[in-house]
Amino acid sequence: MSTIALKVNGKDVSAEVEDRTLLVELLREELKLTGTHIGCDTSQCGACVVHVDGVAMKSCTMFAIQADGAEIRTIEGVAQQGALHPMQAAFAEHHGLQCGFCTPGMIMTAIDMVRRLGSDLDEATIRHELEGNICRCTGYQNIVKAIQAGARAMASQ
Amino acid sequence: MDLGDIVKGSPPPAVVHKPKPHDSAAKHMTGEAVYVDDIRTPAGTLHAAPGYAPIAAGRVTKLDLDAVRKAPGVVDVLTADDIPGANDASPKGIGDEPVITPERIMFYGQVLFVVLAETRDQARRAARLARAATAPGMPMIDVDDAVVADSTVLPDYTFERGTPEDEIASAPRQLGGEFRIGGQEHFYLEGQVALAVPGEDGDMYVYSSTQHPSEVQHVVAHVLGLDSNAVTVEVRRMGGGFGGKESQATQWAVIAALGVRKTGRPCKIRLDRDDDMMMTGKRHDFRVDYKVGFSREGGIRGVDVTFAARCGYSEDLSLGVVDRTMFHADSGYFYPTVRILARRMRTNTVSNTAFRGFGGPQGKLFAERMIDHIAYSVGRDPLDVRKANLYGGAGRDRTPYNMRVEDNILPEIVNELERTSDYRDRRRALAEFNASSPVLKKGIALTPVKFGISFTLMHLNQAGALVHVYRDGSISLNHGGTEMGQGLFVKVAQVVAEEFGQELDRVKITATATDKVPNTGPTAASAGTDLNAQAAMAACRAIKERLFDFIEQEWGVGRDSVQFREGKVIIGNRAMDFGELAELAYRNRVSLSSTGFYKTPKITWDREKATGQPFFYFAYGAACSEVTIDTMTGEMRVNRVDILHDVGKSLNPAIDIGQIEGGFVQGMGWLTTEELVWDSAGRLMTHAPSTYKIPTASDVPEDFRVALYESGGNRADTIYRSKAVGEPPLMLATSVFSAILDAIISLKPAVMPRLDAPATPEAIMRAIRATGAGDP
């Protein structure tokens, strides 16, 4: 067991973790941040994407201990002062979800996409960037639309 | 404003027919929406993990669990001996699906024991420490093995009209063939999960990610030896279902409940994804053998087809699933004489189950394959042969099960899509492209969809609802349907809000629970809205009846002069808030709560005689897909898709378009990339998304045009004349399969290669080689 200190959604957190505890387990089981989902258990579906020091990361593919000293943002920390982030608002407006299970990971990936590639995203880029996020319900059409709109809204903020 | 004038006309609907967002959209944005795995568990909750059979057939001769019991964190181990009631998780209670198998092994991955530990990680690690000595038998893995052994889960079943063998023999042209249709893993993004919590008197409260809470309730009771009233099952939402949680959620809920029974502590199980894929049933895969006789123009005279389905080790839902394959072996085409024989093969593999379309897609894929075969053999555009064989008026309107198709709009839909997709011009452009492109070849296809709506098991066509109006005018809604992302909850809430003239946000949607609405059917067969919205409307109308009586007594105003609209109740010349009326009604001792019930009218089905009208109506649609294949590698891309789909008068066009897009892509995955592979020992080799290829965003055509067919609404008297939309769009994707075939055929016209589904690059290469194209 090791003690780690990290910042999660702006709050200082310290936790006792086993060396093999995954970051997603820490978030969900210890910190009760259950908006980060586990879909495939094997780092493929992207339902567990969070931001580690601002970078999108599949939290089932990282040990909690590797997050020692890091700043983590989960889906619960994306809205600020009760107002949805423009990317969240765009997913809601464009019906970018059905069962909702992939949605938090999609939003975290999308925000990171804009950070890296800017807000003027063409459809092909978005589709390519989403290859690590599986949605089984929507056929992706509304997700792609939502990301395009959300990216533009982020630029005008 | 003279309110007296307003009440004379009936206002247009204010909430239904509108593109309202999914009811949980806001919560999904912020991660607040709670799935079963997100529920805060009570202190002391144990975690269960299954240990499974390492062979596909045979017996366990000795199961040594000593090391399992001694492993860190292990509290107990469940075996078949711990089951107080029936050791059976089968949907029909016929005893062929042991919750934990006592000795006999029927598939690789069958549950042998269950570890209960303090943490999930401990339970899973301990499960690996078991030592099972086995006496292996000879497994039957695929359909051919089972056909050789004549091993079935149910008797063969046939639809027959006329003497197709005579018609085929005397027709100007005949052909036949054999091909394979693959299965499909659901890959609901939220895997199988359940949490059971003990109550008083041995009662059990079960949170289950299930499409069929009543069945989970009944099976838990049966296995624990309890009355059904001692078990309550609740589900607020699922992270996807697609049929994979119609019967397949039950076993895991039962195991959680058994853990509670054995230890007295709450118990949770969430399957690891690899275990989930190995242990739960999938879409049935088929071998199809067919003969058809037809005119020189391709007009069908007689069809003789045999379907052999891999059902797996038990019956599960294979009766209904494979019947639906037969019901849809006509796609949208009239067969003057026909024999459809279906065989349900028993194999030593996981028990195949419901999957969006419920066997229908496989039947339809056969029909499209046969039409393509006919068209290429007579040298006509397949679209022309399709149109020539569509159901028509009198004399051409009987299905192979002798139901009259009375609401057929396929000719209109197909013609409109042919025009809007620019099919003919693109067909010409594509021929020019192919003539000048030696390696890349394009194909195009336009295929129809006709899907029968109703459960073919008649008693499932019923639903219940429970509606309360509180004194402040807020409304609580409950019904037997479950939400898996399809938008059922918001559609039913729209209907309820419309009834009371309220904004949607005045209707609180509550979790499906067996102690609120009992004896429900599964949320399946696309019928969730058709059934549950009608039941909810009936409940609302019962409350409104009492309010009308109260209003008449209180103000002397008859119901014709009362309207519920815009948040108000308009009573003659008086308008008041709905909450004000509710409070007054309460004070005058008027009940503001009601159940509602609905059963689908008209439908009949006598399976023994194969006669009746099993479907209340049909949902229709058509899709046109264009693909490019690389004839050197077998790679394929879908370039463009045009869809025209009939949802009657949509209750919620945003939700319906989402179902169409999502259904199409899921069907496209089934027919192109999603390949299930078992080895000869019966091990599933594709047990994770690393090896089982689910469509990603980049697999979806950028040019994807979806339109709703403009109609006067469903001719059947459905809720606001809408049509069911859950399953039918999946079958639009057969257009991709036919387009791939079209591209392959362009290499050597008139040579029909065998193309099996899914049309993976390997399958496409096999078909290309089979044409002999490029051979010296």
Side-chain angles (χ1 to χ4, degrees), chain A residues 28 44 88 99 131 136 140, chain B residues 29 35 185 674 690 695 698:
Chain A
R28 287 181 55 84
Q44 292 162 79
Q88 291 173 310
C99 85
E131 282 177 356
R136 192 55 155 161
Y140 303 98
Chain B
M29 293 310 124
Y35 300 86
E185 160 63 34
E674 298 183 34
S690 51
S698 56

Side-chain angles (χ1 to χ4, degrees), chain B residues 295-313:
Chain B
S295 70
R296 286 176 220 290
E297 293 75 41
I300 292 170
R301 301 274 175 87
V303 174
D304 188 353
V305 57
T306 300
F307 293 98
R310 170 153 54 180
C311 295
Y313 80 96

Side-chain angles (χ1 to χ4, degrees), chain A residues 18 20 24-25 28-47 74-79 82-85 87-108 122-145, chain B residues 19-22 24-26 28-35 37-41 120-122 124-125 184-191 237-240 242 268 270-274 355-356 483-486 652 654-655 657-659 661-663 665-666 669-670 674 688-692 694-704:
Chain A
E18 283 188 63
R20 65 189 180 196
V24 70
E25 293 168 345
R28 287 181 55 84
E29 288 163 29
E30 298 302 315
L31 305 180
K32 309 297 181 197
L33 294 169
T34 53
T36 301
H37 298 143
I38 301 172
C40 71
D41 294 285
T42 49
S43 306
Q44 292 162 79
C45 77
T74 71
I75 191 67
E76 289 90 346
V78 172
L84 290 182
H85 184 281
M87 191 60 78
Q88 291 173 310
F91 267 76
E93 189 191 335
H94 293 272
H95 304 276
L97 73 138
Q98 284 178 27
C99 85
F101 204 79
C102 74
T103 312
M106 288 284 178
I107 290 172
M108 301 312 280
D122 63 32
E123 201 176 315
T125 304
I126 295 171
R127 288 183 183 280
H128 177 68
E129 287 285 323
L130 282 183
E131 282 177 356
N133 289 75
I134 292 174
C135 169
R136 192 55 155 161
C137 297
T138 64
Y140 303 98
Q141 291 304 95
N142 290 341
I143 290 174
V144 173
K145 276 183 217 158
Chain B
K20 298 288 181 185
H22 191 278
S24 295
H28 288 310
M29 293 310 124
T30 55
E32 288 167 88
V34 175
Y35 300 86
D37 197 30
D38 304 336
I39 295 169
R40 296 266 181 128
T41 51
R120 183 169 176 274
D121 188 69
Q122 288 169 333
R124 292 189 61 220
R125 284 174 193 282
Q184 187 177 23
E185 160 63 34
H186 303 83
F187 207 84
Y188 25 62
L189 214 56
E190 174 212 38
R237 63 173 60 78
M238 284 164 272
F242 315 116
K268 177 172 166 176
R270 175 175 75 78
L271 287 188
D272 182 78
R273 179 62 67 171
D274 293 72
F355 195 140
R356 200 176 196 170
E483 176 65 38
M484 59 198 97
Q486 82 279 43
N652 184 324
I655 296 285
I657 287 173
Q659 287 299 300
E661 291 173 348
V665 171
Q666 199 168 59
W670 166 52
E674 298 183 34
S690 51
T691 45
Y692 182 78
I694 291 150
T696 60
S698 56
D699 295 317
V700 178
E702 280 197 32
D703 196 350
F704 191 0

Side-chain angles (χ1 to χ4, degrees), chain B residues 489-525:
Chain B
F489 279 16
V490 69
K491 282 182 168 179
V492 179
Q494 282 175 276
V495 169
V496 169
E498 192 72 55
E499 281 298 314
F500 290 114
Q502 297 293 296
E503 292 289 335
L504 196 50
D505 63 7
R506 293 287 276 170
V507 181
K508 172 71 78 181
I509 296 169
T510 57
T512 314
T514 55
D515 58 352
K516 281 197 172 150
V517 175
N519 308 326
T520 58
T523 307

